[in-house]
Amino acid sequence: GIQVEQSPPDLILQEGANSTLRCNFSDSVNNLQWFHQNPWGQLINLFYIPSGTKQNGRLSATTVATERYSLLYISSSQTTDSGVYFCAVGNIGSSGGSNYKLTFGKGTLLTVNP
Amino acid sequence: EAGVAQSPRYKIIEKRQSVAFWCNPISGHATLYWYQQILGQGPKLLIQFQNNGVVDDSQLPKDRFSAERLKGVDSTLKIQPAKLEDSAVYLCASSSLGPGDTQYFGPGTRLTVL
């Protein structure tokens, strides 16, 4: 199956700092999502981005599908950005059709200090 | 639009007991997923339904885990009998029918097996 590696595993920032999180994957994908898991465990969709660049407020993401990586940028970080950021990828399985399950990386634990 | 609903939010049982979790997906979403998230790891897919049919259950421990999605809407996941290593958060997600569609997650059920 697809392998997903995220880096760094842990990141500590001061409020206001910028950061870049990376996701490498081992095969071509037709689905890539970035999630934020808050301290209560809720997975919140940030981006659906199998290719290209998207921006949403202070967050932006870029996926270079041909080179099999994606980057999540957080600018002017706030304490509420703390939590675990997951990259998840999927592709249509060998059976084709609708078997496009997501494989998650191990996440990046982000701590933003005031 | 209401999100994915799950219940209960927390459950504590003793090993060898049985437990069941319930999920109601976003209205109109044909695809439903159950994931297991062990502490410190990313979610792992257990089973995927499309309408009321199973698409992928390759990582479901079928000797003790079972799941059903009657009428193609709500779903239940059951563990019988539970083991200590089943302690985890069980997440339900749903997506529209279509390759690589965005998955939306419920709040999860935190299971502790003593």
Side-chain angles (χ1 to χ4, degrees):
Chain A
I2 297 177
Q3 304 299 310
V4 182
E5 293 184 2
Q6 291 188 243
S7 60
D10 301 276
L11 185 59
I12 300 175
L13 302 174
Q14 286 300 122
E15 200 167 25
N18 303 328
S19 62
T20 301
L21 281 56
R22 187 178 180 100
C23 171
N24 293 330
F25 44 95
S26 61
D27 202 350
S28 59
V29 299
N30 66 330
N31 187 344
L32 190 149
Q33 293 183 234
W34 283 97
F35 295 91
H36 175 216
Q37 190 164 43
N38 65 23
W40 296 270
Q42 175 75 55
L43 275 167
I44 299 167
N45 295 71
L46 297 176
F47 294 102
Y48 169 76
I49 186 166
S51 64
T53 297
K54 289 186 178 179
Q55 181 158 6
N56 185 3
R58 295 181 296 104
L59 302 181
S60 64
T62 295
T63 297
V64 183
T66 54
E67 297 187 21
R68 299 182 182 169
Y69 73 88
S70 183
L71 302 173
L72 177 68
Y73 305 97
I74 305 174
S75 64
S76 304
S77 59
Q78 300 176 359
T79 56
T80 52
D81 295 331
S82 296
V84 182
Y85 289 80
F86 286 105
C87 168
V89 303
N91 62 10
I92 295 176
S94 56
S95 61
S98 58
N99 187 13
Y100 27 87
K101 65 182 181 183
L102 287 179
T103 299
F104 282 74
K106 292 184 177 180
T108 292
L109 175 59
L110 175 65
T111 303
V112 181
N113 292 321
Chain B
E1 179 184 81
V4 177
Q6 291 188 247
S7 67
R9 293 297 311 279
Y10 305 92
K11 190 73 177 179
I12 300 174
I13 62 173
E14 296 190 349
K15 59 184 180 182
R16 291 188 290 274
Q17 286 188 322
S18 302
V19 64
F21 313 127
W22 174 82
C23 172
N24 182 249
I26 293 173
S27 177
H29 280 189
T31 310
L32 184 149
Y33 312 79
W34 282 102
Y35 289 84
Q36 180 193 58
Q37 186 177 19
I38 293 173
L39 186 64
Q41 300 180 17
K44 181 186 80 171
L45 180 71
L46 292 176
I47 187 167
Q48 175 187 344
F49 292 94
Q50 185 168 306
N51 296 310
N52 60 352
V54 175
V55 175
D56 185 344
D57 64 356
S58 57
Q59 298 189 94
L60 186 74
K62 299 181 187 63
D63 58 333
R64 298 182 299 107
F65 286 65
S66 64
E68 60 181 8
R69 190 184 184 196
L70 300 176
K71 301 181 182 179
V73 182
D74 293 7
S75 177
T76 57
L77 176 69
K78 297 179 182 178
I79 307 176
Q80 179 179 12
K83 293 185 175 182
L84 296 176
E85 58 261 36
D86 297 332
S87 294
V89 176
Y90 291 85
L91 295 161
C92 179
S94 70
S95 68
S96 300
L97 182 62
D101 275 0
T102 302
Q103 293 186 25
Y104 296 92
F105 282 77
T109 296
R110 184 177 298 276
L111 173 67
T112 302
V113 182
L114 304 176

